[in-house]
Each structure stands twice: as C-alpha cells, then as structure tokens.
Amino acid sequence: METSERKLGKLFLAFAGICVLALPAIVFWALSYGPDEIEAAMVKPDQTTFDENSGAIFVSHDELTRAYLEGTSNQRTLEEYYSRRQYPGSPPWIPHKVEDESRERIACLTCHEKGGWTEEMKKYTPVTPHPENTYCRQCHVKMEVEGNFVDINWKSVQPPRLGRSHLPGGPPPIPHDLQMRGDCVACHVGPGAVEAIRVDHPSRGNCRQCHVPDSFAGVFQR
Amino acid sequence: MKLDRRSFIKLMAMNSAATAAATLFPGVIFGAWKTVDMASGGLVWKKTPCRFCGTGCGLLVGVSGDRAVAVKGDPNCTVNKGLCCVKGYHSIQILYGKDRIQKALVRKNGKMVEVPVAEALDLVANKMQETIQAHGKDAVAMYGSGQWSITDGYVASKLFKGSIGTNNVEANARLCMASAVTGCLTTFGLDEPMGCYEDIEKADVFITWGNNMAEMHPVLFSRMLATRKNRTNVKIIDFATRTTRSSLAADRSILFRPQTDLSVANAICYEIIRNGWVNWEFVNRHVSFHKGKTNIGYGTEDHFKFKDKAETVDFDSFKAFLEDYTPENVEKISGVPAKDIKYLAALYGDPDKKVTSFWTMGMNQHTRGTWINNLVYNIHLLTGKISSPGNSPFSLTGQPSACGTVREVGTLTHKLPHGVVMNPDHRKMAAEIWDVPVENIDPKPTYHTVEMFRALDRGDIRFMWIQVTNPMVTMPNLRRYRDGAEKEGRFVVVSEIYPTPTSDVADVILPSALWIEREGFFGNSERRTQHNDQIVPMPGDTVSNTWQIIEVARRMGYQKQFPWSEETYIEDIWNEYTRFHDSPKHRMAPYKTLKERSGVQWPFVDGMETKWRYNAKYDPACKQEDFDFYGKPDHRAWIWLRPYEPPAESPDSEYPFWLNTGRVLEHWHTGSMTRRIPILHKAMPKSYVEINPDDAARLGITNGSDVKISSRRGSLVMQAMINGRGNPPMGMVFVPFFDEKYLINEVTLDAFCPISKQPDYKKCAVKLERA
Amino acid sequence: MPVFSYLAYPEKGAKEQLLKDLSEVRYCEITPAQNEEILILLTDTPDEDSEIKLQKQLKALDSLQSLSMTFGHVDD
C-alpha cells in the first residue's frame, strides 16, 4: 500500500514529466511565432471600407423602400439626441430597457439595423450608421442610476449648428466627422431620424456629390 | 455682420416682406437695399449652363444688385432637372477670389507691371505682326480650351485660320476628347454621340468603362441611381483599373490591368459571336468591316507622324481576328476572370436588355484611344444596340464646351467649322462665310497640341496665345514644355482670371471675364447648346475672350472680318457661325430659341431636336428606312479590327508601379477656380498619392507619411493616402492633378494615340520610396 | 417691442405721396420697390401703446390703399 507521501511523490513526478515534455513544445511554439505571423494576426483594413464607408449610402438608397425614405415623424429632437451623449460624436447611452442582462445575446440590430416602428416603445427606432460593429454593448451602456458619484466640471465642444450652407439655399457641408458615421441615410433619412436634421430630398442617392466634409483649412494661398 | 437680437428680428421682418413681394411681383427689385445675406426671396434668378464638367447642368444664378449670391438647379433643364453637384452649387464663388486678375499685366524688366488693357492689346497685336514678319505665319499659335465659350473659339479660328492663314490653332480638348472624336469619325464618319441623356432612364444595364462617374459626372450618376431604384432589374457595372466611389455604388466592380480594355472588348465580341448573339439583321444591312495599320507607335519623338490606312474586310476576317481573344486567353493578360468576361458579354448579348456604355478619360487618354473607342462601338454594332432609346455607346465629355466649341467650331489644327482644311470644298465654304480669300486658308495641318509645345520648345513657334487653360500644369512630361515656354525669344500671352503656373511664364496677361460676366454659349456631351446672358457686370478691366480676340484682330488690320458692335457681337457671331452647320445633320437652334430655353440639342430641324441620330424614326437627316449611318460613304457604321498593343511604358524592375492620374469630385482640373471656393478647399485642401494598403505596408508607408514618386522624367514628394477616396490595386498608385504644389505631370509621359494625338495620362512607370 | 413688416400698396398713382407720408410717421422704415408700385414698411415701436397710436396714424393716410402684414413679432 502506498503512503500518501509516495502518492504525492508520484503525482509530483508525473507533473514534472509533463512539464519536461511540454516545456520544449511551449518554447518551440513561442519561438516559431515570428514577426510575419504577428503582422498577419493584426486586423487588415477591409478593401471596401475606404472613402468613409460611402458604399453604405448606395446600398441604403437602393434597398430601402420609398415609404421609408420619405417617412417623417417629429418625435426625435436635437435636444433629446444630444442629451444622450457626453459630447457630439460620443456613443449614446441606452435609454430603454434591455432584455438580456447577461449580455450574452445581443439583439440590438433586430431593431436598430433597419429602423421602423417598435410597438414596445411606441416610437420610430433610430438606425445605426455602423451595423458592421456587432458588439454593441462595448460602447453603448445603460444608465443604472441618476446623478453623479462626485460632481464633475465637464465642458466640451458645441454641437455643430444648423444652416451652415455657404450660399443661400445651397447644400450645407458635413459638419461632423465621418468615422463610423459615413452612412448618411441612417441618421438623416426616415421616420427615426432627428427631425431637425432630416433631409427634404431623401430619394436622391448620391449625398456626397453635393455635401462634402468641412475642415479647418483656411483660405487657399498660392 | 454682427447682429444683436433686435436687428436680427428686423432682418427677418424685412426678409419676409421681400419674399412675399417676390412671390406676388416676380423680378421686383428693392434697389436701395443692398444687404447680401437674405432669404431667397427678392433675388432675380437668371439661367446659365454650369461652368464645370461636360454634363452641362442648367443653373439658376440668384442675383442681388450686381452680385451673384446664390445658385439653384434649373428645373427647366432636362439635363439635371433642378439638381447640381457641390461644384455647381458654389460655382459663382469663383468670381470673387481676392487675387482675381482685374488689370492687364505686361512683363517689363522681368517684373509684371499693370497697364491699361488697350496698351496690352496693342502689344499683343504688334508682337504677332513682328513674329509673322520675321519668322512666317506658322510662328504664331493660339492654344484655347474646351472651356472657351463658342464665340471665343469661332473668332480665334477666323483670325488664325481665315485671316492670318495659319493652322496653328489647338485647344486643350486635344488632351481630353481627341480619341473620342477620332473614334466617332473612324466608326461613323461624323463626330459626337448618337444618343442622349434620356438613354439613362431607358437602359437596363449600365457599364462604365474606366470612368469614375460618381465623382466626375455626379448628376448623371444620380440619374443612373434613380433608374436603378425606380425600375426592376437594372444593373450598374463598374469596369475599371482601380476601386472608387463608383465601384462601391455599382452592382459589380470588375478590375482590369491597364491597357487590357482592348483585349476585353475584343473578347466580348468573341463571346457574342460564339454564342450566336449577333444581331444579323442589323449587321448585314448597316455594318461593314475594316482594318487599319498595326504597330503604330507612341509619338514620344519630335516630328512623329502617322497616317492610318483603311482596308475593307468582311465578317469572316473579323471572326478569325477574334480567335486570339478568347476569354481564357484574355484572362491571362488582363486579370479579368473569364467568367466575368462572359458575364459582360451576356449582358451585351441579351436581346431583351438595353445597354448603355459610358466612358471618359480611361478610354480617351490612352495610347490606343481611337482603337478602344472603335472596339466599344464594335460591341454595340454587333448587337445592334445603338441609336435607340436605352441602347447607347455614350462618350461623356470632360469639359463644359469641348463639344460646343472645340469639336463643333473645329478649333484644332486640321479642322474648320465645317469639315477639314484638307478639303477644297470645305475651304471654299469657310472663305465665303468668313469673307476672306480662299488662298488664305492653309490646306496643310501643322501641329497638334503636344507637337505645338514641342515646336515652341524648338523655336519653330515664337508666339503663343493661351486662353482659358493651364498647360504649365497639364502638359504631360511637363518639365520640357515649361522650360520650352520660358526660353529666350518666346512670347507668351495668357488670358486668365487668376494667377496660375501658366500666367507665371507669361509676357502679357490679359484679364478675362468669367462666363456669367459676359454673354456666351456652351455645348455639352449630349449635343445640347446652352446660352447665358450677361448676369453680373465685368469687374475691373476684364474683357471677354471673344472681345479680346476681336480687338487684336482689328489692330492687325482685319476690321472687315471682325466688324461687330459690343452690344450685339455675340448674337451676330452666332448667326454667322451657324451658317456653317446649315444641314439637317447639324443644324443649330436660332439665337432667340437658345436665349429662351434651358438648352437645345442639335440637330435642330423644323423646330424639333434630334435625340437619336442615324435612326430614321427620330432623325430627319436619314435617307433610308431603319438606320442610316450617313456619315460614311457606304451609309454603314464601320467595325474596325483593332488588336491589343502594349502601353508606351509599363512597370519593370526599376520602376515597378503604374502611375494613374485623374480628378476628384471637389476640384476642377488644375484647381485654379475650385481651390478658391472655400467649401471645396476645405473638403479637399491638398493633393496626395493613393497607395494600395498592402503595398504601403510592404514599403513601410503609413497614411499621411511622405513618399517620393519618381519616373524617368521627374520626381515629387507627396503625402500618402491609404483607404482614402479610392483604392488602387497592388502595383498602382493614383494622384489627382488639382494641386499646383504637386505638379504630377512632371512625372508623366508624353506618349499619345498616333491617330488622335491625345496623350495617355493613365499609364507610365514610377517607383516609390519613403521620403 | 412689437416689430411688424408689411407690403404697403399705395392708392393709384400715389406711390411718391405715400413714400413722403410714411417718412413723416414715427417708428417707420420704408423701402420702395424700383420697378413695382409697392413699398416694404417696417415698424418697430417701443411698447403696445405706441403700437396702437401708430396703427391709427397709418389708417388715416389717404395715399395708403392697403397693408398686407408679412411678419409680426411681439416680445412677452
């Protein structure tokens, strides 16, 4: 009969044996993971996401129904829009009940990819301009409590004002960054859009032929 | 304007009243009130064609007092139906740049000195006469533009060809549309498209051949998108050498290696024949087959000459010729999968699908530009898909009046307003209308554009007058031509609106009026002529290009040929010019009609526009039933057997990248106008080199880092753009040419199509290095 | 501080007279049209009493045929 000590000893020997066998394998694997493979493991930019995702506009224009494109409602205001954000461009917090607290099953896109009327909230759903990012809850969180833990002295940039056309009646330049916001249709068209920025010519399909990005470049100097 | 709240409210009150007044009394003017920032009521709206691309949108310019302050699309113009693009909407701002040239300038002791315009015009006339005396009439030259108003080109031609007697008249349209012209002439015998923009609403399939329509003809592109949305089963196929915004919008994006469009077009014809999709009824009655010379060269040497020789062949020769161009063979050279070639062929071959092909610079700025134009026409002729609504091989024009002025007035070395200098009947007609002795008109063409600048470099040309174009940015292999223009004994006159690298080399700068500061005409891609009144006054000492030429002509003794008064000269010139085109094949609309309507197409016969030429249903010039290709003596359209021939300079081990050049949406050509428009400058402040992300990673180049681009002719350091506006394939880079700080044409090659003489700006070999 | 704007239509042939009359009325700014028989009238009174007085004055003008209000703003 083996004593517990000897059992322990055998266990230890077995463990050591495994280590001895595994160690070279581990070392060999680590050394063989050379720089080339590390580069390959990085995310390569997708060929179709250049030009600030302008492809999305064309798909939306082609696939959405006329009824949706021309749909209106005056439910969403700019004030409400900015009240959900810390600064213009920050990810808005989730203002409604979220079904699955475990965060395992994320069904956000069932409503927020295509928009439309949701009976539950009795509202038109806003559409996300970046449905290709599917782990929504990494950026969009739910407010659990009102009020701050400690008061904060927070100031940020003013939201872009409306009516910035360079000429009366002309097409205003795009006042916001296009990163992750390249699909104009998502925010500016349809019943879920904020009323003040909803366009009155939604069935035109090539937004960027008239609306171009703004910048801080000064006047042209030779 | 700083406003406190009360002033703001009062301003609103005034605006409301003005708007109401304008509704009740259109055209009402409240003269005492010069406030410029007001609502759209109270403005007077006047029509004009857009100053920019060959789409030819109709604009309404809002005028307050004597300033242009707003733009609307003209809802009465069938081209754009009230829509414009960002350039059109802000085009009026080009009038108001701070460095607008408003005074004539003359170079004295190396410095440019302001002088009265009359003095400058005296100098120009004297210098021309001096040069002609000392070196002969072919030592003076005029280099004009596809942005010339029609009357500008007409008086230039009348002065140089009719009065002075030299064929040294060329225009920058040689660099943009010449291959389209020779393509039309060799296939149809007559220039300009046979279809019209209405084809866009009627077609089922759109195939763009090497052009980025979403950025270059945006309003037509929007019409295509609308057709795709409003009808079922409409497809847009983008066939190009790089991925662009148009590729993202298309249903399919098919990439090909540069120059292999020649092979793919032939392969499509091969497939059409193999599958029995040939429209025999059409081909037997309306098509004949021909071949020309091969191994035709590239024109990089001075005095390069080429004359093609046509040989009539038959369908069987055509079929045998195409045996080299099976999709499997062509896949190897072009990189286009055989199944994609078959897919394209099936679209063309399907008898139930109406197909419109669009192209611009990808096919025209090509060392075999004439050939590739012929080959795309071949596809449409083989299937009978031509000259009828929706079936349209359509060559889009780049400039607003390359058609209207350069092609229709004939401001090229071999052309006359009707016909060519080589033809005695055409010379006789010109001499009669111009009231000059027929001996004045030289029957021998002299130089095309590239040769003209070579002649300036060599000293065979000593005097050049440049109007409305910027060759010191746009000539390929630029260094030679800039050095040439700056040599001793060269006198360069530049008519300009802003200082540019071309005005920098001038001896005389004449201040020009912009398009809405004078009455004028433009003619767009679909044969539509558009008129504008003078909408705002000419600033400073500026003079219209037409009037500048008239003033110089009078000083040279040609008062009789240039008799018109300043009040009516535009109308008078139109009436004289249209005498050249008085036949149902080309008749132009009368002045009064053009003044009233937002554009009228030619041929304008018995009060009706000919929308589809060569089709007896729509074209009164047809003399036989069905189709009549009356441009050719056999009344048939010609299918040409044109082979693949390689480019002038391909990448090799030392220079492993293709250099491709072109435009972007925001900027027009060399940017001298659009960069002075704030919204456009802010949207695209500087040029860059587009590099494929994999190539960039391999070379260690990141977005925005400095890159040195070198060719055998020159080099530049520019910032890299990765995943920007477009994505070239591996082994290619793309540089837009709007930024005069980055003269990419110092790197390009002055090889050209031997038939059209149009240079190839899309293909030469460069190397990249981190700088 | 009521601010109003109107299109002022003169009696037939009385545009010059109306221009003269209105320029003598307090709190009025007049902009005549160059090529039509109308004027824009802008009134800016400091309080409601002055506004009522102004209305009475305007109604008494012989050269004024009618006023068509195009803008009204009253501060609370």
Side-chain angles (χ1 to χ4, degrees):
Chain A
M1 196 172 81
E2 288 176 296
T3 61
S4 47
E5 255 188 333
R6 286 195 78 177
K7 262 206 195 135
L8 209 57
K10 269 200 190 141
L11 216 57
F12 176 73
L13 268 174
F15 175 73
I18 292 170
C19 282
V20 166
L21 286 172
L23 190 61
I26 292 169
V27 170
F28 184 70
W29 174 79
L31 284 178
S32 70
Y33 196 64
D36 284 30
E37 274 139 303
I38 288 175
E39 254 173 43
M42 276 163 48
V43 176
K44 268 205 208 144
D46 188 348
Q47 282 293 318
T48 58
T49 58
F50 64 93
D51 197 23
E52 270 119 10
N53 202 21
S54 68
I57 305 169
F58 300 118
V59 172
S60 303
H61 169 257
D62 202 38
E63 293 183 356
L64 290 170
T65 62
R66 179 147 252 139
Y68 180 88
L69 289 177
E70 292 170 2
T72 61
S73 79
N74 52 9
Q75 291 171 335
R76 293 184 73 216
T77 62
L78 263 186
E79 203 190 316
E80 187 194 324
Y81 177 90
Y82 284 119
S83 71
R84 302 208 208 287
R85 292 160 168 79
Q86 291 292 300
Y87 53 85
S90 74
W93 46 270
I94 303 172
H96 58 70
K97 194 158 72 86
V98 176
E99 284 299 322
D100 190 346
E101 289 306 325
S102 72
R103 297 176 194 137
E104 290 288 347
R105 281 166 301 146
I106 296 166
C108 317
L109 287 178
T110 50
C111 292
H112 287 286
E113 185 167 15
K114 291 270 154 79
W117 175 260
T118 150
E119 194 53 41
E120 255 179 271
M121 316 284 172
K122 299 257 189 296
K123 276 184 180 206
Y124 285 102
T125 324
V127 174
T128 171
H130 48 258
E132 67 277 2
N133 300 102
T134 52
Y135 185 26
C136 318
R137 308 280 292 267
Q138 144 187 343
C139 298
H140 298 285
V141 296
K142 192 157 158 37
M143 293 301 200
E144 298 292 347
V145 296
E146 296 275 332
N148 290 332
F149 176 64
V150 170
D151 272 340
I152 182 175
N153 190 16
W154 171 250
K155 281 185 168 46
S156 185
V157 290
Q158 288 296 329
R161 64 180 172 83
L162 302 176
R164 297 165 83 245
S165 308
H166 280 234
L167 296 179
I174 303 171
H176 59 77
D177 208 53
L178 286 171
Q179 186 176 354
M180 293 177 72
R181 289 190 281 172
D183 183 4
C184 322
V185 176
C187 301
H188 289 276
V189 172
V194 170
E195 196 195 352
I197 60 170
R198 185 185 291 121
V199 298
D200 59 1
H201 46 269
S203 45
R204 290 180 180 165
N206 191 9
C207 318
R208 301 224 198 126
Q209 99 185 23
C210 297
H211 300 281
V212 292
D214 206 344
S215 79
F216 291 110
V219 175
F220 168 68
Q221 297 277 8
R222 269 202 93 198
Chain B
M1 188 167 144
K2 273 205 87 125
L3 294 177
D4 65 352
R5 191 163 176 275
R6 192 179 199 90
S7 314
F8 178 69
I9 291 172
K10 284 168 76 168
L11 190 67
M12 288 213 293
M14 274 302 254
N15 283 348
S16 304
T19 310
T23 318
L24 295 167
F25 303 92
V28 69
I29 302 171
F30 293 95
W33 180 33
K34 280 212 175 266
T35 321
V36 171
D37 56 337
M38 51 204 241
S40 306
L43 291 179
V44 184
W45 295 95
K46 312 218 78 187
K47 74 168 172 73
T48 177
C50 179
R51 177 57 179 78
F52 298 122
C53 82
T55 302
C57 295
L59 268 47
L60 289 174
V61 172
V63 182
S64 165
D66 58 5
R67 285 184 73 96
V69 297
V71 177
K72 287 197 295 208
D74 183 352
N76 288 326
C77 184
T78 56
V79 173
N80 58 320
K81 305 176 199 183
L83 177 65
C84 307
C85 78
V86 67
K87 295 189 300 297
Y89 276 122
H90 299 93
S91 52
I92 55 175
Q93 293 185 295
I94 65 179
L95 273 64
Y96 301 113
K98 281 239 155 80
D99 56 349
R100 177 81 191 268
I101 298 176
Q102 298 196 23
K103 293 221 166 301
L105 295 148
V106 169
R107 196 175 290 276
K108 294 185 177 168
N109 297 322
K111 287 197 67 180
M112 294 307 275
V113 171
E114 283 183 3
V115 300
V117 176
E119 187 185 314
L121 292 168
D122 287 337
L123 180 56
V124 171
N126 287 338
K127 212 53 200 187
M128 264 222 267
Q129 282 167 318
E130 247 178 63
T131 311
I132 295 170
Q133 286 250 353
H135 303 282
K137 61 185 176 63
D138 285 335
V140 299
M142 166 66 90
Y143 183 61
S145 171
Q147 297 164 63
W148 249 341
S149 193
I150 291 180
T151 55
D152 300 344
Y154 182 78
V155 295
S157 190
K158 190 175 188 183
L159 174 59
F160 281 77
K161 290 188 183 241
S163 311
I164 297 173
T166 171
N167 283 321
N168 284 353
V169 176
E170 273 281 309
N172 67 2
R174 175 75 71 174
L175 310 178
C176 93
M177 298 312 295
S179 301
V181 175
T182 48
C184 280
L185 294 177
T186 46
T187 302
F188 303 104
L190 286 176
D191 192 14
E192 296 209 24
M194 60 291 312
C196 62
Y197 292 159
E198 261 184 65
D199 291 321
I200 300 178
E201 276 72 44
K202 305 278 198 307
D204 302 304
V205 177
F206 297 97
I207 304 184
T208 54
W209 286 71
N211 57 320
N212 180 3
M213 230 169 138
E215 290 194 68
M216 305 313 163
H217 293 87
V219 167
L220 296 178
F221 190 75
S222 284
R223 278 174 73 167
M224 260 172 33
L225 294 179
T227 298
R228 181 170 68 176
K229 187 164 179 64
N230 294 334
R231 296 197 3 233
T232 46
N233 249 334
V234 173
K235 296 238 176 310
I236 300 174
I237 316 287
D238 172 60
F239 181 64
T241 55
R242 85 187 223 276
T243 317
T244 61
R245 189 176 284 183
S246 304
S247 321
L248 294 178
D251 293 288
R252 283 278 283 274
S253 166
I254 299 175
L255 293 179
F256 64 95
R257 293 197 196 114
Q259 195 90 352
T260 63
D261 43 4
L262 294 161
S263 316
V264 174
N266 275 330
I268 291 174
C269 282
Y270 173 89
E271 275 298 295
I272 289 172
I273 295 177
R274 188 178 71 84
N275 282 300
W277 292 329
V278 177
N279 182 334
W280 284 112
E281 209 202 305
F282 183 87
V283 170
N284 285 332
R285 292 173 60 188
H286 303 297
V287 174
S288 56
F289 296 83
H290 306 262
K291 70 176 196 198
K293 291 187 184 164
T294 56
N295 252 320
I296 62 177
Y298 300 99
T300 46
E301 330 79 70
D302 279 35
H303 304 297
F304 173 87
K305 285 221 179 329
F306 173 79
K307 201 167 145 63
D308 202 8
K309 195 156 110 62
E311 196 192 309
T312 309
V313 295
D314 59 10
F315 175 79
D316 289 324
S317 319
F318 183 52
K319 186 162 170 219
F321 163 83
L322 289 175
E323 291 294 328
D324 284 335
Y325 296 95
T326 66
E328 291 72 27
N329 280 353
V330 171
E331 176 174 347
K332 294 190 204 117
I333 185 181
S334 66
V336 181
K339 68 170 174 51
D340 283 343
I341 299 176
K342 295 181 184 186
Y343 172 70
L344 287 172
L347 291 173
Y348 278 108
D350 184 340
D352 295 325
K353 284 206 181 349
K354 299 200 172 64
V355 183
T356 292
S357 305
F358 280 126
W359 67 91
T360 332
M361 295 306 141
M363 274 176 49
N364 293 335
Q365 291 177 338
H366 190 309
T367 47
R368 296 290 178 268
T370 310
W371 286 10
I372 182 62
N373 270 266
N374 290 145
L375 292 179
V376 175
Y377 288 129
N378 285 0
I379 301 174
H380 282 264
L381 290 172
L382 216 52
T383 52
K385 294 189 177 180
I386 192 167
S387 291
S388 56
N391 280 322
S392 193
F394 201 105
S395 156
L396 291 166
T397 318
Q399 299 188 78
S401 205
C403 281
T405 310
V406 182
R407 291 160 83 170
E408 293 161 28
V409 175
T411 56
L412 295 169
T413 184
H414 63 293
K415 286 263 313 155
L416 289 167
H418 173 77
V420 291
V421 297
M422 299 86 79
N423 183 314
D425 291 326
H426 300 163
R427 288 200 303 276
K428 204 156 143 282
M429 180 191 213
E432 203 189 296
I433 298 178
W434 282 346
D435 193 18
V436 296
V438 70
E439 300 76 47
N440 271 14
I441 303 175
D442 194 333
K444 238 172 123 281
T446 51
Y447 309 107
H448 57 88
T449 298
V450 174
E451 266 304 309
M452 209 162 84
F453 281 91
R454 288 176 183 169
L456 186 68
D457 180 33
R458 291 191 306 262
D460 296 330
I461 291 180
R462 299 278 176 146
F463 172 102
M464 191 184 282
W465 191 351
I466 299 173
Q467 288 201 326
V468 205
T469 180
N470 201 353
M472 295 301 127
V473 175
T474 55
M475 286 303 292
N477 188 13
L478 177 61
R479 285 211 177 125
R480 175 190 175 175
Y481 302 113
R482 190 176 56 227
D483 292 343
E486 289 182 306
K487 283 183 176 164
E488 271 297 309
R490 315 289 190 267
F491 197 84
V492 177
V493 178
V494 175
S495 298
E496 253 294 355
I497 52 170
Y498 286 113
T500 62
T502 302
S503 68
D504 285 344
V505 307
D507 295 286
V508 178
I509 299 177
L510 294 170
S512 287
L514 267 164
W515 92 117
I516 51 175
E517 293 167 347
R518 36 80 49 103
E519 190 183 355
F521 302 87
F522 282 159
N524 76 351
S525 309
E526 61 153 359
R527 299 173 277 110
R528 189 174 298 277
T529 315
Q530 296 193 58
H531 170 269
N532 67 281
D533 278 322
Q534 178 181 24
I535 291 178
V536 290
M538 295 187 229
D541 289 351
T542 58
V543 182
S544 80
N545 295 314
T546 311
W547 196 255
Q548 289 173 20
I549 297 173
I550 291 173
E551 287 280 344
V552 168
R554 289 178 181 174
R555 283 162 168 78
M556 291 178 74
Y558 302 115
Q559 290 90 336
K560 193 153 87 90
Q561 284 73 26
F562 298 85
W564 313 291
S565 74
E566 253 187 292
E567 289 76 42
T568 59
Y569 70 110
I570 301 288
E571 180 178 357
D572 294 335
I573 292 173
W574 181 258
N575 292 337
E576 185 182 304
Y577 162 59
T578 48
R579 289 172 57 192
F580 279 95
H581 291 310
D582 195 17
S583 106
K585 299 177 187 172
H586 207 311
R587 192 165 295 134
M588 315 292 281
Y591 177 80
K592 195 161 158 298
T593 313
L594 286 169
K595 215 168 133 77
E596 285 164 3
R597 287 166 54 168
S598 297
V600 182
Q601 273 181 300
W602 63 265
F604 187 69
V605 182
D606 297 327
M608 299 263 297
E609 301 168 318
T610 301
K611 296 192 186 174
W612 289 279
R613 294 157 83 200
Y614 312 133
N615 183 337
K617 242 174 84 177
Y618 304 97
D619 186 349
C622 287
K623 291 257 164 43
Q624 63 194 43
E625 281 190 10
D626 204 18
F627 292 93
D628 178 7
F629 292 99
Y630 45 76
K632 286 285 189 183
D634 61 355
H635 284 255
R636 290 171 181 247
W638 287 20
I639 281 188
W640 285 86
L641 278 56
R642 305 290 202 194
Y644 168 82
E645 284 186 2
E649 188 184 77
S650 300
D652 53 30
S653 53
E654 209 193 327
Y655 295 96
F657 281 87
W658 290 106
L659 169 64
N660 185 355
T661 64
R663 282 209 300 118
V664 291
L665 167 75
E666 289 84 352
H667 287 296
W668 174 253
H669 281 200
T670 62
S672 58
M673 295 184 283
T674 52
R675 295 185 82 198
R676 289 166 169 90
I677 297 178
I679 195 176
L680 298 176
H681 177 61
K682 282 164 182 282
M684 181 67 77
K686 63 195 286 214
S687 186
Y688 49 82
V689 50
E690 264 181 25
I691 308 181
N692 177 282
D694 293 324
D695 283 333
R698 200 168 35 83
L699 293 166
I701 295 170
T702 53
N703 204 6
S705 65
D706 284 342
V707 179
K708 183 167 176 207
I709 310 169
S710 326
S711 75
R712 293 173 172 92
R713 295 157 290 283
S715 71
L716 280 187
V717 175
M718 307 183 71
Q719 281 75 56
M721 167 93 78
I722 301 171
N723 278 330
R725 185 61 64 85
N727 238 344
M730 282 186 73
M732 181 191 290
V733 297
F734 176 85
V735 177
F737 68 103
F738 66 84
D739 190 340
E740 60 186 54
K741 279 221 162 41
Y742 299 101
L743 295 169
I744 191 62
N745 277 315
E746 289 183 353
V747 180
T748 55
L749 174 64
D750 53 347
F752 48 78
C753 168
I755 303 176
S756 70
K757 323 292 194 248
Q758 178 169 0
D760 190 332
Y761 288 92
K762 309 288 184 183
K763 298 166 209 106
C764 70
V766 295
K767 65 178 175 197
L768 301 182
E769 297 156 286
R770 260 172 50 188
Chain C
M1 36 142 244
V3 172
F4 293 95
S5 72
Y6 308 85
L7 292 184
Y9 294 77
E11 292 290 350
K12 204 164 159 79
K15 185 174 163 195
E16 287 303 311
Q17 184 60 40
L18 181 60
L19 193 59
K20 195 164 153 303
D21 289 346
L22 283 173
S23 33
E24 287 164 26
V25 180
R26 212 168 159 212
Y27 304 123
C28 286
E29 279 172 39
I30 309 110
T31 310
Q34 278 181 317
N35 55 347
E36 297 285 352
E37 297 295 294
I38 52 163
L39 315 169
I40 290 180
L41 169 64
L42 188 79
T43 66
D44 180 11
T45 43
D47 54 61
E48 232 184 63
D49 279 347
S50 327
E51 182 60 33
I52 294 170
K53 280 211 192 84
L54 172 62
Q55 291 292 328
K56 278 218 183 89
Q57 271 182 294
L58 290 173
K59 287 195 175 83
L61 290 175
D62 285 342
S63 50
L64 179 64
Q65 191 211 111
S66 58
L67 285 177
S68 156
M69 178 158 71
T70 51
F71 179 92
H73 177 92
V74 177
D75 253 353
D76 299 9

